[in-house]
Amino acid sequence: MHTRRLKALTVLTASCLALVAAAAGACSSAKPGQTQLDVEIFGDMGYRDLYTRYEQSHPGIKIVEHVVSYDDHHKNLQAHLLGGSGTGDIEAIDGGYIAQFRVMADKFVDFRDYGATPGQWLPWKSQQATGANGQLMGLGADVGGLAMCYRRDLFAQAGLPTDRDQVAALWPDWQSYIATGKRFKAGAPDGVAWFDSGSNVFNAIIGQAPVGYTATSNKVVVAENPAVKRAFNLAVEAVQAGESAKLATFSQQWNAGFQRGSFATVACPAWMTDTIKQNAPQTSGKWDIATIPGGSGNWGGSFLTVPKQSKHQKEAAELARYLTAPEQASWIFRTQGHLPSQASLYNDPAVLGNTNAFFNNAPTGQLFTEAAKNLRPQYQGPKDGDIGPLIGLGITRVDKGKQRPAQAWDQVLKDVANATEP
Amino acid sequence: MAVLTPSSVLRRRRNTIRATDNRWSQLRHRFDLSGTPYLYIAPFFVAFGVFGLFPLLYTGWMAITQWNRDIPGSEHTFVGLGNFARLVHDDYFWNALRNTAAIGVLGTVPQLLLAMWIAHLLQRKMRGRTLLRMGVLLPNITSVAAVGLIFAQLFGRDLGLINWGLSLVGIDKVDWQSGTWQSWVALGVILTWRWTGYNSLIYLAALQAVSDDLYEAADLDGASQFQKFRTITVPALRPTIIFSVIMSTIGTIQLFTEPLMFNPGMSPTGGDSRQFQTLAMYVYEQFWTHGKYSYAATVSWAMFMIIVLAVGANYLLSRRIRSSS
């Protein structure tokens, strides 16, 4: 019985964490009279220097950061909210999980009580963290934006233009992106695909639709919404034309694909520029970035929240506001590349003027802010995070030749029904 | 009427104390004999109660509600056996059960045969015997997550060592993760690699009870290695084989980490068509990915009952084998 073991494990982990937290509290340098704030995040968000600065200007505050892996972080948060204890004072939540936690918005502090106004952030960003009664449960940290990273050298070999404006002109919409892929395949070296995986293309297409998987009533509309079927059909057309490298995102083979040049384009949020650089440092200068087909998009990004379990809600909310304020977000972008979500920074010359040498000095500031700003707000339901991968699997089945598109779609609908029934 | 002088009061009190003392030491003695054994084993039962029995019963409780992550207050909705009725008609549950059974057979049968043969070979007197005996256990003490990751690489479609080896003998690339049979075979290999040594040590321990005379007599009769294996080793191992079959069956039904790590991207669906999603992975998917807490608890209980059935079948079978031998 696995749940049994899982449960025992969860209990153990929780008690260990409590022990560790207690021990950390006991051993930490928080002096008597100081308030310790525990910040729990799932990756490097670039806050370390900011903590030091904040502690200097707030002598009564001691900040301790705990970093856990992406999956575990969100599972722990879920378990601690259910169990009623164990969360930190500040908890980061990824954009892919925010809709799921929004169902429990009443377990989080409403930042409007602490002076935050939703209008400080991009409209769709704040909307994602707004509960049923209008409470603002999360402050926007970074966003992904979305552009198209492409290999200049492979484009040249296939006889396509390499200049980023000319490349962007090749694909004003997804239909022309797929058509360009067919041209590319005709002239490209053997074994080089047009993009990494059909599910990434699908995600980018559906992200631009006014309605996604869920209606504002929280009803799942995958079967009824023509935009979902249209995005599925486009992605399926592309994989059937042999444009996909059939690589699962974040798998080892996908990582290796960057090194081997297995594909010529990849839908690219701001944070992925760093992924490519780390994965394939030897491809420096071979890459460039152009506008995404359709002109807008987002992938990833995160929020800061304060669970009501926190014993220092006021201090934690103040710290969260400081960490997500425009001045700090701009500094993080300039030093570490996380794209800000604060509306005021979208006219900031320091942000807009940013370029990336690894990508042939592409104007990343301009490209990513443009995509994020143009994104039409799309309502995210609590199940959206589960539904996307299930549709992705359907596209993969077509890609691998296991199913015809109609069969794959039928199974997608069956999978979605299985995932969304109570 | 006796006069209560101070000295008589004192005497009486002393007597009472002596009597109580006696009674106490008697009680202590009796407790020492009959009570302490229970105290000694109590830690196990306390731990089992907290980490075994309570979660088991609580999971059962969850299974008769409709608790869902995304429906606030749903933990108070009771549906009785409704979840179990759903389970019977759930294709994905039966698919997971079939995958688990198939991977179990592919991973256990060759493994136990191999383990017997290795135990048979290690039984012989030879140089470095202890080192070899310890060496076979090495795969078992490596981290299961690391094993899963490394084998996922070995079985990689484009850059995997195994496909490279096959290409040398002229066999086309196999997409191990994508195919149904292919993924079952690959997972069977991982299980075999990990558990063969463990089982051969258990068999080896059982073989210590076999007198060397038997093997020596067989040598004098000119028996081959395989004949000795079949006529001396295997019959001697019979009770131990039953034990290891039961343990492997339970382990198989709980199979989780290896297939999860084997999946590129590590989603608990077990491939794009659920071709190697095991029961435990299905529980994990329903619980963590889809937040269907009650339904996950239902599948867990079904797994529990399957284990009970499997062990029961094993027990009956082993009784028949024992009485026939």
Side-chain angles (χ1 to χ4, degrees):
Chain A
M1 286 186 61
H2 206 81
T3 320
R4 203 175 76 192
R5 282 214 311 209
L6 266 182
K7 256 209 157 132
L9 272 178
T10 319
V11 171
L12 272 177
T13 323
S15 58
C16 291
L17 279 177
L19 277 177
V20 169
C27 325
S28 79
S29 49
K31 300 181 194 89
Q34 260 190 340
T35 303
Q36 177 172 322
L37 296 178
D38 293 291
V39 181
E40 308 213 335
I41 60 178
F42 50 83
D44 186 11
M45 296 179 74
Y47 288 156
R48 238 154 261 151
D49 292 343
L50 296 177
Y51 297 146
T52 320
R53 272 190 239 168
Y54 192 80
E55 284 173 346
Q56 277 164 0
S57 57
H58 296 71
I61 300 287
K62 169 81 196 160
I63 303 166
V64 180
E65 183 183 82
H66 309 271
V67 184
V68 190
S69 76
Y70 179 84
D71 282 341
D72 290 343
H73 169 82
H74 293 99
K75 278 167 193 158
N76 288 346
L77 178 58
Q78 178 84 25
H80 292 158
L81 288 174
L82 279 180
S85 70
T87 66
D89 298 297
I90 292 183
E91 292 271 357
I93 298 180
D94 184 74
Y97 274 99
I98 190 73
Q100 177 188 317
F101 284 104
R102 205 178 50 213
V103 176
M104 302 186 275
D106 55 341
K107 291 190 193 290
F108 294 91
V109 159
D110 181 357
F111 282 105
R112 293 179 308 174
D113 298 343
Y114 296 94
T117 46
Q120 282 172 253
W121 286 269
L122 294 170
W124 55 267
K125 184 75 175 174
S126 287
Q127 192 201 51
Q128 288 182 349
T130 302
N133 303 320
Q135 63 272 55
L136 184 65
M137 59 163 291
L139 301 183
D142 67 316
V143 290
L146 201 59
M148 191 64 84
C149 294
Y150 66 96
R151 284 280 295 262
R152 297 169 60 86
D153 53 334
L154 297 174
F155 269 48
Q157 286 175 41
L160 293 176
T162 56
D163 174 75
R164 65 181 78 94
D165 291 328
Q166 285 174 306
V167 168
L170 289 174
W171 56 56
D173 52 27
W174 289 100
Q175 204 66 57
S176 48
Y177 171 77
I178 295 166
T180 312
K182 290 174 187 162
R183 262 178 70 194
F184 173 84
K185 287 292 286 180
D190 270 355
V192 179
W194 181 230
F195 51 78
D196 54 340
S197 85
S199 55
N200 281 349
V201 171
F202 170 82
N203 287 338
I205 301 175
I206 192 63
Q208 292 170 352
V211 180
Y213 309 135
T214 313
T216 44
S217 62
N218 265 351
K219 184 181 186 299
V220 173
V221 291
V222 172
E224 298 93 318
N225 184 1
V228 180
K229 189 68 201 286
R230 181 183 159 266
F232 180 84
N233 286 345
L234 279 170
V236 159
E237 184 196 333
V239 302
Q240 287 195 313
E243 295 183 5
S244 160
K246 305 181 186 13
L247 299 169
T249 319
F250 305 125
S251 67
Q252 287 168 338
Q253 283 95 333
W254 184 73
N255 289 343
F258 283 105
Q259 291 155 22
R260 305 196 325 151
S262 304
F263 42 86
T265 66
V266 56
C268 227
W271 49 263
M272 200 189 281
T273 56
D274 205 42
T275 310
I276 298 176
K277 211 190 297 188
Q278 308 272 340
N279 265 334
Q282 72 277 23
T283 58
S284 176
K286 292 181 178 169
W287 288 92
D288 208 324
I289 310 178
T291 316
I292 191 92
S296 69
N298 177 59
W299 180 1
S302 54
F303 296 85
L304 293 188
T305 66
V306 175
K308 282 192 182 153
Q309 286 176 22
S310 163
K311 293 192 177 66
H312 315 289
Q313 295 177 14
K314 185 172 161 290
E315 291 84 353
E318 252 168 53
L319 175 60
R321 287 203 58 198
Y322 169 83
L323 293 172
T324 56
E327 194 187 330
Q328 280 66 251
S330 167
W331 177 81
I332 293 172
F333 178 64
R334 278 177 283 126
T335 52
Q336 282 144 97
H338 300 292
L339 191 66
S341 61
Q342 286 75 4
S344 65
L345 292 179
Y346 280 69
N347 305 311
D348 185 340
V351 172
L352 295 181
N354 196 275
T355 59
N356 191 327
F358 187 90
F359 292 85
N360 198 30
N361 291 317
T364 41
Q366 191 89 45
L367 282 162
F368 290 122
T369 54
E370 201 67 24
K373 198 165 58 180
N374 291 344
L375 188 62
R376 258 187 296 186
Q378 182 193 79
Y379 181 76
Q380 309 270 310
K383 292 288 187 189
D384 283 15
D386 309 348
I387 293 171
L390 294 174
I391 303 179
L393 290 181
I395 297 166
T396 308
R397 290 192 294 273
V398 176
D399 199 359
K400 300 220 165 179
K402 290 181 173 182
Q403 282 181 341
R404 284 178 286 107
Q407 282 175 316
W409 178 249
D410 284 346
Q411 197 183 327
V412 163
L413 294 184
K414 190 181 156 194
D415 281 349
V416 170
N418 174 290
T420 50
E421 65 192 8
Chain B
M1 190 176 151
V3 182
L4 288 173
T5 60
S7 63
S8 70
V9 170
L10 255 182
R11 203 179 314 128
R12 205 183 291 170
R13 191 177 290 166
R14 212 175 287 144
N15 284 344
T16 330
I17 289 173
R18 201 169 294 146
T20 335
D21 250 15
N22 268 337
R23 210 173 307 139
W24 256 115
S25 73
Q26 265 179 2
L27 267 176
R28 256 175 45 203
H29 183 66
R30 206 180 305 153
F31 178 76
D32 208 24
L33 279 180
S34 54
T36 33
Y38 291 103
L39 270 187
Y40 286 136
I41 52 168
F44 167 76
F45 284 99
V46 171
F48 174 73
V50 173
F51 296 112
L53 192 63
F54 170 71
L56 183 73
L57 296 177
Y58 190 71
T59 310
W61 174 255
M62 281 168 73
I64 58 168
T65 68
Q66 197 64 284
W67 193 4
N68 187 293
R69 180 187 69 204
D70 303 320
I71 307 172
S74 54
E75 62 264 44
H76 305 302
T77 315
F78 288 96
V79 292
L81 294 179
N83 284 323
F84 288 92
R86 243 163 86 192
L87 187 76
V88 177
H89 302 289
D90 182 354
D91 292 350
Y92 293 155
F93 167 74
W94 295 110
N95 171 61
L97 182 60
R98 190 187 53 152
N99 291 343
T100 310
I103 296 169
V105 170
L106 284 172
T108 308
V109 175
Q111 171 198 326
L112 294 184
L113 291 175
L114 198 63
M116 271 180 254
W117 182 244
I118 290 176
H120 175 76
L121 293 183
L122 287 175
Q123 170 75 343
R124 288 173 13 184
K125 289 196 179 63
M126 56 185 158
R127 217 178 296 167
R129 190 165 72 159
T130 314
L131 200 69
L132 282 172
R133 284 177 173 186
M134 291 298 106
V136 293
L137 198 63
L138 274 180
N140 197 248
I141 57 170
T142 46
S143 142
V144 58
V147 171
L149 274 179
I150 296 210
F151 271 90
Q153 264 186 342
L154 291 180
F155 282 106
R157 182 193 59 189
D158 297 326
L159 309 163
L161 196 66
I162 291 173
N163 272 351
W164 176 79
L166 290 178
S167 72
L168 290 186
V169 290
I171 300 173
D172 271 350
K173 267 187 197 171
V174 179
D175 197 344
W176 293 100
Q177 271 116 348
S178 181
T180 305
W181 271 102
Q182 291 87 327
S183 59
W184 290 354
V185 168
L187 284 163
V189 168
I190 300 178
L191 288 181
T192 305
W193 186 80
R194 210 170 124 69
W195 290 100
T196 303
Y198 170 83
N199 281 309
S200 41
L201 274 203
I202 288 184
Y203 291 149
L204 195 59
L207 284 182
Q208 301 315 300
V210 181
S211 160
D212 276 346
D213 300 351
L214 281 174
Y215 287 105
E216 276 164 23
D219 280 339
L220 285 178
D221 289 343
S224 74
Q225 201 58 254
F226 184 72
Q227 277 173 323
K228 282 190 285 183
F229 175 70
R230 226 191 43 178
T231 53
I232 305 175
T233 306
V234 173
L237 282 180
R238 204 169 273 167
T240 318
I241 292 171
I242 292 160
F243 166 78
S244 59
V245 166
I246 291 179
M247 294 314 283
S248 306
T249 310
I250 295 177
T252 298
I253 295 174
Q254 296 180 333
L255 187 64
F256 176 71
T257 314
E258 289 91 342
L260 185 75
M261 300 306 259
F262 187 63
N263 197 8
M266 279 179 231
S267 104
T269 49
D272 50 37
S273 321
R274 297 174 190 265
Q275 62 270 30
F276 55 93
Q277 183 178 45
T278 61
L279 282 171
M281 287 166 88
Y282 191 53
V283 171
Y284 187 89
E285 187 202 7
Q286 296 293 314
F287 190 95
W288 283 114
T289 312
H290 301 327
K292 293 159 72 173
Y293 298 157
S294 285
Y295 197 61
T298 310
V299 183
S300 295
W301 258 85
M303 271 172 78
F304 176 60
M305 289 184 272
I306 291 166
I307 291 181
V308 170
L309 282 179
V311 171
N314 265 320
Y315 175 75
L316 289 180
L317 204 70
S318 64
R319 258 207 345 200
R320 274 190 52 189
I321 292 175
R322 207 172 295 155
S323 57
S324 72
S325 64

